[in-house]
PDB file of all heavy atoms in Angstrom:
ATOM      1  N   GLY A1058      87.999  19.968 -81.037  1.00 93.00           N
ATOM      2  CA  GLY A1058      87.885  18.538 -80.804  1.00 93.00           C
ATOM      3  C   GLY A1058      87.020  18.238 -79.605  1.00 93.00           C
ATOM      4  O   GLY A1058      86.922  19.029 -78.660  1.00 93.00           O
ATOM      5  N   GLY A1059      86.361  17.072 -79.631  1.00 94.00           N
ATOM      6  CA  GLY A1059      85.479  16.693 -78.546  1.00 94.00           C
ATOM      7  C   GLY A1059      84.067  17.190 -78.765  1.00 94.00           C
ATOM      8  O   GLY A1059      83.731  17.779 -79.789  1.00 94.00           O
ATOM      9  N   THR A1060      83.217  16.977 -77.769  1.00 96.00           N
ATOM     10  CA  THR A1060      81.821  17.389 -77.844  1.00 96.00           C
ATOM     11  C   THR A1060      81.651  18.803 -77.307  1.00 96.00           C
ATOM     12  O   THR A1060      82.625  19.451 -76.907  1.00 96.00           O
ATOM     13  CB  THR A1060      80.933  16.439 -77.011  1.00 96.00           C
ATOM     14  OG1 THR A1060      81.187  16.678 -75.608  1.00 96.00           O
ATOM     15  CG2 THR A1060      81.222  14.981 -77.330  1.00 96.00           C
ATOM     16  N   GLU A1061      80.414  19.257 -77.248  1.00 96.00           N
ATOM     17  CA  GLU A1061      80.130  20.589 -76.726  1.00 96.00           C
ATOM     18  C   GLU A1061      80.468  20.710 -75.239  1.00 96.00           C
ATOM     19  O   GLU A1061      80.603  21.822 -74.723  1.00 96.00           O
ATOM     20  CB  GLU A1061      78.651  20.931 -76.942  1.00 96.00           C
ATOM     21  CG  GLU A1061      78.271  21.076 -78.410  1.00 96.00           C
ATOM     22  CD  GLU A1061      76.784  21.305 -78.600  1.00 96.00           C
ATOM     23  OE1 GLU A1061      76.062  21.359 -77.577  1.00 96.00           O
ATOM     24  OE2 GLU A1061      76.335  21.429 -79.752  1.00 96.00           O
ATOM     25  N   ARG A1062      80.630  19.587 -74.563  1.00 96.00           N
ATOM     26  CA  ARG A1062      80.956  19.617 -73.131  1.00 96.00           C
ATOM     27  C   ARG A1062      82.453  19.780 -72.865  1.00 96.00           C
ATOM     28  O   ARG A1062      82.859  20.034 -71.735  1.00 96.00           O
ATOM     29  CB  ARG A1062      80.451  18.349 -72.446  1.00 96.00           C
ATOM     30  CG  ARG A1062      78.937  18.261 -72.385  1.00 96.00           C
ATOM     31  CD  ARG A1062      78.487  17.189 -71.414  1.00 96.00           C
ATOM     32  NE  ARG A1062      77.045  17.171 -71.281  1.00 96.00           N
ATOM     33  CZ  ARG A1062      76.381  16.385 -70.437  1.00 96.00           C
ATOM     34  NH1 ARG A1062      77.041  15.543 -69.663  1.00 96.00           N
ATOM     35  NH2 ARG A1062      75.064  16.425 -70.371  1.00 96.00           N
ATOM     36  N   ALA A1063      83.272  19.601 -73.882  1.00 96.00           N
ATOM     37  CA  ALA A1063      84.713  19.728 -73.706  1.00 96.00           C
ATOM     38  C   ALA A1063      85.096  21.196 -73.575  1.00 96.00           C
ATOM     39  O   ALA A1063      84.436  22.085 -74.129  1.00 96.00           O
ATOM     40  CB  ALA A1063      85.442  19.101 -74.896  1.00 96.00           C
ATOM     41  N   VAL A1064      86.174  21.479 -72.821  1.00 96.00           N
ATOM     42  CA  VAL A1064      86.661  22.854 -72.732  1.00 96.00           C
ATOM     43  C   VAL A1064      87.065  23.306 -74.135  1.00 96.00           C
ATOM     44  O   VAL A1064      87.596  22.519 -74.921  1.00 96.00           O
ATOM     45  CB  VAL A1064      87.855  22.976 -71.763  1.00 96.00           C
ATOM     46  CG1 VAL A1064      87.415  22.706 -70.339  1.00 96.00           C
ATOM     47  CG2 VAL A1064      88.999  22.038 -72.149  1.00 96.00           C
ATOM     48  N   SER A1065      86.826  24.553 -74.435  1.00 96.00           N
ATOM     49  CA  SER A1065      87.067  25.038 -75.805  1.00 96.00           C
ATOM     50  C   SER A1065      88.070  26.178 -75.873  1.00 96.00           C
ATOM     51  O   SER A1065      88.366  26.677 -76.953  1.00 96.00           O
ATOM     52  CB  SER A1065      85.748  25.490 -76.444  1.00 96.00           C
ATOM     53  OG  SER A1065      85.137  26.510 -75.664  1.00 96.00           O
ATOM     54  N   THR A1066      88.589  26.598 -74.714  1.00 96.00           N
ATOM     55  CA  THR A1066      89.613  27.645 -74.710  1.00 96.00           C
ATOM     56  C   THR A1066      90.796  27.207 -73.858  1.00 96.00           C
ATOM     57  O   THR A1066      90.656  26.385 -72.956  1.00 96.00           O
ATOM     58  CB  THR A1066      89.073  28.972 -74.140  1.00 96.00           C
ATOM     59  OG1 THR A1066      88.783  28.797 -72.737  1.00 96.00           O
ATOM     60  CG2 THR A1066      87.814  29.413 -74.876  1.00 96.00           C
ATOM     61  N   ARG A1067      91.937  27.780 -74.157  1.00 95.00           N
ATOM     62  CA  ARG A1067      93.131  27.442 -73.376  1.00 95.00           C
ATOM     63  C   ARG A1067      92.987  27.891 -71.928  1.00 95.00           C
ATOM     64  O   ARG A1067      93.426  27.202 -71.010  1.00 95.00           O
ATOM     65  CB  ARG A1067      94.369  28.093 -74.008  1.00 95.00           C
ATOM     66  CG  ARG A1067      95.687  27.598 -73.402  1.00 95.00           C
ATOM     67  CD  ARG A1067      96.866  28.227 -74.095  1.00 95.00           C
ATOM     68  NE  ARG A1067      96.850  29.681 -73.940  1.00 95.00           N
ATOM     69  CZ  ARG A1067      97.539  30.519 -74.693  1.00 95.00           C
ATOM     70  NH1 ARG A1067      98.278  30.057 -75.689  1.00 95.00           N
ATOM     71  NH2 ARG A1067      97.490  31.827 -74.482  1.00 95.00           N
ATOM     72  N   ARG A1068      92.360  29.024 -71.712  1.00 95.00           N
ATOM     73  CA  ARG A1068      92.156  29.503 -70.343  1.00 95.00           C
ATOM     74  C   ARG A1068      91.314  28.514 -69.543  1.00 95.00           C
ATOM     75  O   ARG A1068      91.621  28.212 -68.387  1.00 95.00           O
ATOM     76  CB  ARG A1068      91.488  30.881 -70.359  1.00 95.00           C
ATOM     77  CG  ARG A1068      91.197  31.425 -68.972  1.00 95.00           C
ATOM     78  CD  ARG A1068      90.613  32.825 -69.021  1.00 95.00           C
ATOM     79  NE  ARG A1068      91.591  33.782 -69.522  1.00 95.00           N
ATOM     80  CZ  ARG A1068      91.339  35.086 -69.627  1.00 95.00           C
ATOM     81  NH1 ARG A1068      90.145  35.570 -69.278  1.00 95.00           N
ATOM     82  NH2 ARG A1068      92.274  35.898 -70.079  1.00 95.00           N
ATOM     83  N   ALA A1069      90.247  28.003 -70.150  1.00 96.00           N
ATOM     84  CA  ALA A1069      89.399  27.019 -69.464  1.00 96.00           C
ATOM     85  C   ALA A1069      90.173  25.731 -69.208  1.00 96.00           C
ATOM     86  O   ALA A1069      90.010  25.095 -68.161  1.00 96.00           O
ATOM     87  CB  ALA A1069      88.157  26.736 -70.294  1.00 96.00           C
ATOM     88  N   LEU A1070      91.021  25.346 -70.146  1.00 97.00           N
ATOM     89  CA  LEU A1070      91.832  24.147 -69.961  1.00 97.00           C
ATOM     90  C   LEU A1070      92.795  24.325 -68.795  1.00 97.00           C
ATOM     91  O   LEU A1070      92.945  23.424 -67.959  1.00 97.00           O
ATOM     92  CB  LEU A1070      92.609  23.836 -71.236  1.00 97.00           C
ATOM     93  CG  LEU A1070      93.592  22.657 -71.155  1.00 97.00           C
ATOM     94  CD1 LEU A1070      92.864  21.367 -70.834  1.00 97.00           C
ATOM     95  CD2 LEU A1070      94.380  22.532 -72.458  1.00 97.00           C
ATOM     96  N   GLU A1071      93.438  25.474 -68.702  1.00 96.00           N
ATOM     97  CA  GLU A1071      94.368  25.724 -67.607  1.00 96.00           C
ATOM     98  C   GLU A1071      93.660  25.657 -66.257  1.00 96.00           C
ATOM     99  O   GLU A1071      94.207  25.115 -65.282  1.00 96.00           O
ATOM    100  CB  GLU A1071      95.051  27.076 -67.801  1.00 96.00           C
ATOM    101  CG  GLU A1071      96.042  27.074 -68.968  1.00 96.00           C
ATOM    102  CD  GLU A1071      96.638  28.444 -69.235  1.00 96.00           C
ATOM    103  OE1 GLU A1071      96.100  29.457 -68.704  1.00 96.00           O
ATOM    104  OE2 GLU A1071      97.642  28.525 -69.970  1.00 96.00           O
ATOM    105  N   ALA A1072      92.446  26.188 -66.187  1.00 96.00           N
ATOM    106  CA  ALA A1072      91.672  26.116 -64.946  1.00 96.00           C
ATOM    107  C   ALA A1072      91.308  24.674 -64.619  1.00 96.00           C
ATOM    108  O   ALA A1072      91.359  24.248 -63.449  1.00 96.00           O
ATOM    109  CB  ALA A1072      90.406  26.968 -65.070  1.00 96.00           C
ATOM    110  N   GLU A1073      90.948  23.904 -65.635  1.00 96.00           N
ATOM    111  CA  GLU A1073      90.622  22.491 -65.445  1.00 96.00           C
ATOM    112  C   GLU A1073      91.826  21.710 -64.939  1.00 96.00           C
ATOM    113  O   GLU A1073      91.713  20.856 -64.055  1.00 96.00           O
ATOM    114  CB  GLU A1073      90.133  21.903 -66.773  1.00 96.00           C
ATOM    115  CG  GLU A1073      89.757  20.437 -66.728  1.00 96.00           C
ATOM    116  CD  GLU A1073      88.377  20.195 -66.138  1.00 96.00           C
ATOM    117  OE1 GLU A1073      87.656  21.181 -65.886  1.00 96.00           O
ATOM    118  OE2 GLU A1073      88.038  19.029 -65.945  1.00 96.00           O
ATOM    119  N   LEU A1074      92.983  22.018 -65.477  1.00 97.00           N
ATOM    120  CA  LEU A1074      94.199  21.293 -65.080  1.00 97.00           C
ATOM    121  C   LEU A1074      94.591  21.597 -63.634  1.00 97.00           C
ATOM    122  O   LEU A1074      95.173  20.749 -62.959  1.00 97.00           O
ATOM    123  CB  LEU A1074      95.350  21.627 -66.031  1.00 97.00           C
ATOM    124  CG  LEU A1074      95.144  21.218 -67.499  1.00 97.00           C
ATOM    125  CD1 LEU A1074      96.378  21.518 -68.320  1.00 97.00           C
ATOM    126  CD2 LEU A1074      94.767  19.745 -67.614  1.00 97.00           C
ATOM    127  N   GLU A1075      94.277  22.807 -63.158  1.00 96.00           N
ATOM    128  CA  GLU A1075      94.530  23.126 -61.747  1.00 96.00           C
ATOM    129  C   GLU A1075      93.709  22.212 -60.842  1.00 96.00           C
ATOM    130  O   GLU A1075      94.191  21.735 -59.814  1.00 96.00           O
ATOM    131  CB  GLU A1075      94.192  24.597 -61.472  1.00 96.00           C
ATOM    132  CG  GLU A1075      95.259  25.576 -61.935  1.00 96.00           C
ATOM    133  CD  GLU A1075      96.596  25.346 -61.248  1.00 96.00           C
ATOM    134  OE1 GLU A1075      96.617  25.018 -60.040  1.00 96.00           O
ATOM    135  OE2 GLU A1075      97.631  25.473 -61.931  1.00 96.00           O
ATOM    136  N   LYS A1076      92.476  21.949 -61.230  1.00 96.00           N
ATOM    137  CA  LYS A1076      91.619  21.045 -60.450  1.00 96.00           C
ATOM    138  C   LYS A1076      92.182  19.625 -60.476  1.00 96.00           C
ATOM    139  O   LYS A1076      92.145  18.913 -59.468  1.00 96.00           O
ATOM    140  CB  LYS A1076      90.193  21.046 -61.008  1.00 96.00           C
ATOM    141  CG  LYS A1076      89.489  22.387 -60.914  1.00 96.00           C
ATOM    142  CD  LYS A1076      88.114  22.311 -61.565  1.00 96.00           C
ATOM    143  CE  LYS A1076      87.418  23.663 -61.568  1.00 96.00           C
ATOM    144  NZ  LYS A1076      86.091  23.596 -62.262  1.00 96.00           N
ATOM    145  N   VAL A1077      92.693  19.220 -61.625  1.00 97.00           N
ATOM    146  CA  VAL A1077      93.273  17.877 -61.759  1.00 97.00           C
ATOM    147  C   VAL A1077      94.470  17.727 -60.822  1.00 97.00           C
ATOM    148  O   VAL A1077      94.634  16.691 -60.163  1.00 97.00           O
ATOM    149  CB  VAL A1077      93.694  17.612 -63.220  1.00 97.00           C
ATOM    150  CG1 VAL A1077      94.481  16.313 -63.331  1.00 97.00           C
ATOM    151  CG2 VAL A1077      92.472  17.570 -64.118  1.00 97.00           C
TER     152      VAL A1077
END
Side-chain angles (χ1 to χ4, degrees):
T1060 71
E1061 294 175 0
R1062 292 194 176 184
V1064 293
S1065 58
T1066 67
R1067 190 178 61 198
R1068 178 177 293 182
L1070 175 61
E1071 290 175 346
E1073 180 80 7
L1074 297 184
E1075 282 299 322
K1076 297 177 184 178
V1077 172

